[in-house]
Amino acid sequence: MMKRILITVVALGLSLGAGAKDLFKKDLSNAHCKEPVWSFNEKGELSSTKDQILWTNEEYENFELTLDFKVTKAGNGGIIIYSKNNDNWIPESIEIQIADYDYWLGKFGPKGTCGAVFGFQGVDKNYTKPLNEWNTLKLVCKGQSVKVYINGELANDFDMSKFTDKDKNPDGSQPFAWLRAKARAEVPTVGNIGFQGLHGTGNTFYRNIKIKPIK
């Protein structure tokens, strides 16, 4: 009986150890940016004062990322995954757009507004709450499968393996011109995670940022 209890306790410990953890330390010592423009405020909200990407020091593969976000008018942020070259991340990564839905729908269409895999696969509706209200985001990234949940709904189900032509999406549309250097099916499925905050005239705020591995 004692042996069985011990095994149960050890198994429980392993299960808890494999759970979600904070992606960033409060002092951002496990992250890097070209300039010190990112910080947490006293409410635990992460934001930037300049258009620079905040990158994790660690690379991630097969993970679930959860967080809350809110945007101001014309806000245009984003979560970048699978980056192997943080100085030139656009050709070789996946960006999930976090944005003022209506504003960027008018500028870029469904492939460039909130919840889109930017430039490649859009959303079918607005999954976000009104501006300046907090939304929940969950990214389930397993190999070439990237699922985007906003406020509990599946907003985007992106299969990188289908995007084999760098100049044409599976639906016949073209990626934005600056995204055509490489087919997304060729992007590695492991890399740094990046956060885009103040981009353009609006800002994006994040909180409760957690990550856990997926087996």
Side-chain angles (χ1 to χ4, degrees):
M1 177 65 72
M2 182 62 70
K3 184 176 181 181
R4 185 180 301 170
I5 292 173
L6 180 60
I7 291 172
T8 301
V9 170
V10 170
L12 179 59
L14 290 173
S15 175
L16 292 174
K21 65 176 184 179
D22 289 333
L23 182 66
F24 296 116
K25 294 181 179 180
K26 293 304 180 184
D27 61 0
L28 299 178
S29 59
N30 64 337
H32 60 276
C33 184
K34 289 182 177 179
E35 299 180 55
V37 296
W38 284 85
S39 63
F40 284 99
N41 65 17
E42 66 280 358
K43 297 179 181 179
E45 300 167 354
L46 179 68
S47 64
S48 64
T49 57
K50 193 173 180 180
D51 186 11
Q52 292 286 354
I53 306 295
L54 178 68
W55 297 102
T56 61
N57 289 344
E58 187 175 343
E59 291 189 339
Y60 292 92
E61 181 177 23
N62 298 328
F63 60 88
E64 180 179 296
L65 178 68
T66 59
L67 55 85
D68 302 325
F69 72 88
K70 67 179 179 180
V71 296
T72 63
K73 180 66 178 177
N76 180 355
I79 308 295
I80 302 147
I81 61 172
Y82 299 160
S83 174
K84 300 293 287 187
N85 181 355
N86 298 340
D87 291 325
N88 187 28
W89 57 270
I90 291 176
E92 298 191 42
S93 64
I94 302 294
E95 179 186 358
I96 293 85
Q97 178 80 321
I98 305 295
D100 175 347
Y101 179 88
D102 291 327
Y103 183 87
W104 292 103
L105 181 68
K107 293 284 186 180
F108 285 137
K111 291 182 176 65
T113 193
C114 198
V117 175
F118 190 72
F120 297 97
Q121 186 164 289
V123 289
D124 59 353
K125 68 173 186 177
N126 184 0
Y127 291 89
T128 64
K129 297 177 182 179
L131 292 178
N132 297 302
E133 291 189 20
W134 287 103
N135 301 270
T136 61
L137 175 75
K138 179 169 73 172
L139 302 181
V140 181
C141 306
K142 190 171 183 179
Q144 292 187 309
S145 171
V146 179
K147 290 181 168 61
V148 181
Y149 296 86
I150 298 177
N151 296 321
E153 294 188 79
L154 180 61
N156 214 320
D157 190 352
F158 187 69
D159 183 352
M160 293 167 58
S161 69
K162 295 180 179 179
F163 289 74
T164 57
D165 188 335
K166 67 182 181 64
D167 296 312
K168 184 184 293 185
N169 294 323
D171 64 2
S173 66
Q174 286 187 307
F176 300 140
W178 59 94
L179 300 173
R180 298 177 196 164
K182 188 172 187 176
R184 265 29 188 195
E186 299 174 12
V187 171
T189 57
V190 59
N192 300 115
I193 298 174
F195 278 60
Q196 189 177 58
L198 181 62
H199 184 58
T201 59
N203 211 338
T204 307
F205 298 84
Y206 306 93
R207 69 181 185 186
N208 299 326
I209 309 164
K210 304 284 185 180
I211 194 164
K212 67 178 180 180
I214 297 174
K215 292 184 179 180

